[in-house]
Every structure is written in C-alpha cells, then in structure tokens.
Amino acid sequence: MATSNISLDMVINLPADSTGSLLQILKIVQAQNVSVLHVETRPSKKSDFSDVFLKLSASNQDVLDQTVRLVEALPGVKVQVAVGSPHQHLKGIPLTAREEMANFPDVPWFATTMQELIEHNSKTLQCGEELGSDHPSFTDAAYRSRRQTFADIGAKYVLGQPIPYVEYNAEETATWGEVYRQLTNLYPTHACETYNRNFQLLIKHLGLSEHKIPQMEDISNFLRSRTGFRLRPSPGLVDFRDYLAGLAFRVFQATQYIRHHSSPQYTPEPDICHEYLGHVPLFCDPEFAQFSQEIGLASLGAPDEWIEKLGNLYWYTVEFGLCRENNGANTRVYGGALLSSFGELERCLTDDAKRVPLDPDVVAATPYPITRFQDVYFVAESFQDMREKLAGWITQIPRPFSLRYNAYTSSVEVLHKKEHLRGLVRDIESKFHINLCKRLLSE
C-alpha cells in the first residue's frame, strides 16, 4: 500500500553572494534523499542578503527534521521558517492550516497566517532607479534617486510596525495638487455613487485636499477603523500573486512615491495618486472590502494559468471597470486606475472609447495594455452586478480545497474534510444565534 509523502516549506536567509551556501544546502537535501518540489530566491528585507524558498518532500518526518537540523548547522545560514516540521522550528507560527497543506504538495505555496505573510518578502517587479527607457522619468536622475528612497522604505518595512513618515517636497506636492484638482472636478459626473460617498469620508475625517499629500500611516489607521484593511508600503509594482495574497488578509500593498511631474495625467505603474485617490475610497466600503478579500482568497494556491486569468479580470474591473447607475441611465466609473488618471477618466465615457457588457469569461481571456489607454472597457449592469459575476466566476478556479479567513486568528482555514464543514456549520449557527438575540433585544 502506497504511503503519501510529507512536505516541508523552508525560508532560508543567506548572504546575497553565498552561491556556495545554496549549493551546500541542495547537496544536504540530495544526500538525505529528500525531493525538492520548488526552489526560489528573492531579495531579503536585510540589505546584502537573499531569501531562499524551498518546498521539500519526503516519506519520513524524521528525514525532514534531520535535513532542517543539518541546514541550520551551516555557518552564516539562518532558517527563518520551517513549516511542517516539529514545533521547535516554527517560531510561533500556528500549525493548523500549514499542516493541512502538507496534503497538497503540488499546490503553489501561500501564506496561511498573518505571521507567514509578514515573513514573506513580496516579489517587486519594478521600482527605484532601474525604471525602463519608456518611463517618463528615464532621463531625470533626481527623480529616480527619490524613487529609490521610497523603494528602500518599502523594502525595509515590516508589517505591523508604524509606517514611516515621509516629507514630500514642493515638486511632489505640486504634482499631487494638480492631479487632485483635475480628478475632483470629474468625480461628481464620472465616479460611481459608492466611490463618491466614501471619498467624502476621507475629506471629512482625514482632511484630504490638494494642498498636502496624506501620510500612509494615517490612511491605514482610518481604513482599519472602517473595514479592517491596512496599508503596507511597497517598493514598487508587486508580483500579482503576492498582491492578491495580501488582499486575502485585508492587506493592501501600496506605493509611497508620486508620478513624474511631466506626466501628471497618467502613470504606467501605481503611485500615491493611484493608491490614495483610486483605490482607498472603495476600500472604505464594507461590501467592496469583503469582495476584495474574496478575490484574494480565491488566488491562494490557484494554478499559474488561473492567476493570469484572474489578473485580466482584476484589471478590467477593479482597475478599469465601469458600471451603470440610476436604472441604467448613467454609466459611471469604479476602477481605481481610471479614478486616478484624469486623462483616461475623461476619455472612457466619451464616444471615442469602446465599451462592451461585462462577461467574466470574455474578460478573463482578454490581454491588456499597460503603457497606453485601454482599447476596451467592460460595463457591469451595476456595482452589485460586477461583484456577483466575479464571485460566480472565481468558483471555477480548480483547487482541491476551499479557504476561509478567520478574523479572530488572522489566519486562513483550509477546508477539505467533513469535520471542517461541520465546524463551519457550527460557526454559522453561532453567528445566526447572536444576530437573532440582537434582533430580539432590539424589539
């Protein structure tokens, strides 16, 4: 009778130039007859270091334990996380969901707890001084240097700590002011009702205005008080799988820099105008926050090809989506990229723009341009219609389990056994009884 293998996830901190150490680690793994299911290296939060992600598999737990001990004994090597091995290797990370994931060794790794999300260093695709030749700032050395300063803040930040205060200069504030004035002139006639309602909350409670760039810490604290979402400063454009994984934990990865002053009407990658003006108002809305978290949960463990499809859907809805309001009489914008780009926001509702009904299957198969205005915009029958259609579509994503976020423990629960479902039913019944008691007391 065949026995199922046991898997182990490791995060190893190495000096950036220690290619030899990585080879030593792989030789140890090979000598222990342990299979390597996945290996990946990424820059660490610590300068001059890198993180090595290893997913290992063996038929015997003792073999995996011995492998961890041998790796930990190497000079200059620090095993930050070893999930799946005994408690002494776990450094306080809850085991439940991670142990369940040992049953699915072929599923892409994802954080199952807030602590694992904190430990995980998201892959940044573009930031700082390495901006491409097609970027508006390519010949502006001062701007590129400033971008690197913001990238360094994001790279060093640890989720849960206060977000560092940023002193924006006069040129940055002027760019913010121009973008803010242009956009707020369009919002009453172009933005959807949900957006406009929550934008006024930011003005009322945070003093949002054209005269001063708000601090990310202030926005994050306000968001947490409204919907439980928090901001995490990012060095730049984040890998989409990592970005969605943050949403599953109600963490929105956001940048702190601003677009180049020569191109205030559009930016090829997210900046503070995109984050604060485009997305934050809708993250203040409880229903949209819940919808965003559900998209994040749907991405966890999804195959790569479905992440690409989900990326197309996210792009054409959450970033560039339109919806009808007032019984279909008006078309309005809810997409964050449009609501932070006054040039495209104005264009998308004109006769020059191609608008078609929202069909999730069509959207999922439609590639998108990044460096120019969109070729097509997808229109939902209502804001609610968009949420319902995407919620229906994500149920197609093939996974051998379901996921639920536990707000009490800030962790993801893996549901694939009968006892998991019984526990879920008990939780639903408990919430029903609480709500019933509240209703009866109010009568």
Side-chain angles (χ1 to χ4, degrees), residues 117-340:
L117 187 72
I118 292 171
E119 293 281 355
H120 180 65
N121 196 19
S122 297
K123 185 187 297 181
T124 305
L125 303 180
Q126 186 182 67
C127 67
E129 295 184 330
E130 83 282 5
L131 298 172
S133 59
D134 59 342
H135 196 276
S137 69
F138 184 66
T139 60
D140 190 337
Y143 178 85
R144 292 159 67 86
S145 176
R146 181 69 167 160
R147 279 284 297 269
Q148 187 60 49
T149 298
F150 290 114
D152 292 342
I153 293 174
K156 295 175 183 176
Y157 177 74
V158 177
L159 188 64
Q161 294 180 347
I163 300 173
Y165 181 89
V166 173
E167 188 71 44
Y168 290 99
N169 60 40
E171 183 175 77
E172 291 165 339
T173 303
T175 301
W176 165 269
E178 180 176 357
V179 174
Y180 187 95
R181 287 190 298 273
Q182 297 274 8
L183 288 172
T184 51
N185 284 336
L186 293 172
Y187 287 160
T189 55
H190 286 63
C192 70
E193 188 274 334
T194 302
Y195 178 91
N196 280 324
R197 182 177 66 251
N198 285 285
F199 187 75
Q200 292 303 313
L201 288 177
L202 295 174
I203 295 174
K204 177 181 178 181
H205 294 283
L206 293 179
L208 199 65
S209 75
E210 66 182 273
H211 304 295
K212 184 179 180 181
I213 299 175
Q215 292 296 317
M216 185 177 286
E217 174 74 0
D218 296 336
I219 291 181
S220 184
N221 289 337
F222 179 70
L223 263 184
R224 291 191 71 180
S225 72
R226 295 287 302 176
T227 61
F229 258 89
R230 68 177 79 181
L231 300 186
R232 180 183 192 175
S234 168
L237 186 63
V238 175
D239 173 76
F240 190 61
R241 185 185 285 276
D242 288 342
Y243 171 78
L244 290 180
L247 297 183
F249 292 85
R250 299 210 172 199
V251 173
F252 175 46
Q253 302 200 62
T255 55
Q256 287 183 292
Y257 55 80
I258 195 165
R259 63 195 63 182
H260 195 257
H261 61 87
S262 67
S263 185
Q265 76 281 0
Y266 179 78
T267 176
E269 82 273 83
D271 71 333
I272 53 174
C273 299
H274 176 85
E275 319 288 29
Y276 299 171
L277 300 177
H279 286 301
V280 165
L282 286 178
F283 278 121
C284 292
D285 181 73
E287 290 187 4
F288 184 84
Q290 178 65 28
F291 163 73
S292 298
Q293 184 175 32
E294 288 168 358
I295 290 179
L297 287 168
S299 76
L300 300 182
D304 289 341
E305 62 271 22
W306 282 84
I307 290 293
E308 182 178 352
K309 294 177 182 179
L310 191 56
N312 291 344
L313 269 170
Y314 192 91
W315 182 270
Y316 283 115
T317 57
V318 179
E319 295 290 358
F320 288 92
L322 310 178
C323 66
R324 300 194 187 281
E325 290 186 339
N326 299 325
N327 297 319
N330 301 320
T331 300
R332 294 291 182 261
V333 176
Y334 65 88
L338 289 174
L339 291 165
S340 57

Side-chain angles (χ1 to χ4, degrees), residues 345-364:
L345 178 59
E346 193 167 30
R347 172 185 176 273
C348 72
L349 297 183
T350 66
D351 292 339
D352 293 334
K354 180 181 178 181
R355 295 182 295 275
V356 299
L358 175 65
D359 181 334
D361 291 326
V362 173
V363 176

